[in-house]
């Protein structure tokens, strides 16, 4: 029970803290736009991902999803910290295509992360069922059908959004005058 309450507190602090950080950037920097840098996108991704995990837990659909979600959330924050220290470069959101590109890439990454977490939970639960083991400390993780439905939905949405991001990125690159990283012409 203590582990559940601790993970619940961590997820709520992550969702609220990430949201407040983005709100702080919006209020203190009047020229700031969402998704203006990788750090902003990663913090937004962490806020949405922690909110998604909280939602899945609150509906009693996938109670043990935190076991797989918290490590990925930690990696997202580590990536954001590294991006802010070493590779901070603001984007130039100058067109609709750039906004579509960034939004679909970050949202598609979020959906892919949810599908990966649910896939890990599916494999873990399937192994537990096959070997007929039930650890005492873990909450029920939901049914295999719910996990499979979440995997299919999140993976389909993630693939579609990442494809849209790729297409928008190609439109941005090919519409520039002169040579690009793709080669001359």
């Amino acid at each position: 029970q203590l582990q559940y309450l601790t993970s619940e507190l961590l997820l709520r602090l992550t969702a609220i803290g990430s949201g407040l950080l983005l709100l702080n950037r919006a209020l203190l920097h009047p020229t700031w736009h969402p998704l203006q840098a990788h750090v902003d996108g990663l913090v937004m991704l962490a806020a949405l991902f922690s909110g998604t995990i909280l939602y899945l837990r609150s509906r009693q659909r996938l109670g043990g999803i935190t076991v797989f979600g918290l490590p990925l959330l930690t990696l997202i924050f580590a990536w954001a910290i590294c991006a802010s220290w070493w590779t901070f470069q603001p984007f130039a959101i100058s067109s609709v295509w750039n906004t579509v590109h960034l939004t679909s890439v970050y949202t598609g990454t979020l959906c892919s992360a949810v599908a990966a977490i649910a896939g890990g939970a599916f494999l873990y639960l399937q192994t537990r069922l096959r070997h007929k083991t039930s650890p005492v400390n873990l909450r029920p993780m939901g049914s295999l059908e719910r996990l499979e439905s979440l995997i299919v939905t999140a993976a389909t949405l993630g693939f579609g959004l990442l494809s849209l991001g790729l297409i928008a990125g190609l439109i941005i690159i090919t519409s520039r005058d002169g040579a690009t990283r793709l080669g001359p012409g």
Side-chain angles (χ1 to χ4, degrees):
Q1 186 68 4
L2 181 63
Q3 290 174 342
Y4 178 77
L5 293 175
T6 304
S7 65
E8 182 81 17
L9 178 67
L10 283 173
L11 285 170
R12 288 184 188 274
L13 285 174
T14 300
I16 292 169
S18 300
L20 287 175
L21 182 62
L22 289 174
L23 183 65
N24 178 28
R25 287 192 41 90
L27 294 176
L28 293 180
H29 305 291
T31 59
W32 178 79
H33 298 288
L35 300 177
Q36 196 170 10
H38 284 298
V39 177
D40 298 334
L42 290 168
V43 171
M44 183 193 67
L45 190 64
L48 292 174
F49 188 58
S50 57
T52 302
I53 293 173
L54 283 170
Y55 172 76
L56 290 173
R57 286 175 60 160
S58 71
R59 297 291 184 185
Q60 300 296 330
R61 293 180 182 184
L62 301 170
I65 198 77
T66 311
V67 173
F68 298 93
L70 282 177
L72 184 63
L73 200 55
T74 304
L75 288 174
I76 291 172
F77 274 121
W79 184 10
I81 290 169
C82 291
S84 68
W85 280 346
W86 296 303
T87 62
F88 182 75
Q89 292 181 339
F91 299 131
I93 298 181
S94 56
S95 70
V96 173
W97 287 113
N98 203 356
T99 305
V100 168
H101 170 71
L102 292 174
T103 303
S104 61
V105 165
Y106 281 114
T107 310
T109 302
L110 173 69
C111 291
S112 299
V114 169
I117 294 299
F122 182 90
L123 292 174
Y124 179 74
L125 184 60
Q126 186 180 33
T127 303
R128 271 183 41 190
L129 289 172
R130 184 178 301 131
H131 296 293
K132 297 180 182 165
T133 59
S134 178
V136 181
N137 295 337
L138 288 179
R139 290 186 47 160
M141 297 186 75
S143 67
L144 290 175
E145 291 84 17
R146 285 187 182 157
L147 282 170
E148 184 178 11
S149 151
L150 177 65
I151 293 167
V152 168
T153 303
T156 302
L157 190 59
F159 180 73
L161 287 169
L162 288 173
S163 298
L164 179 65
L166 177 66
I167 292 167
L170 286 173
I171 290 171
I172 292 168
I173 289 292
T174 56
S175 67
R176 293 184 181 156
D177 294 332
T180 65
R181 291 184 187 173
L182 297 175

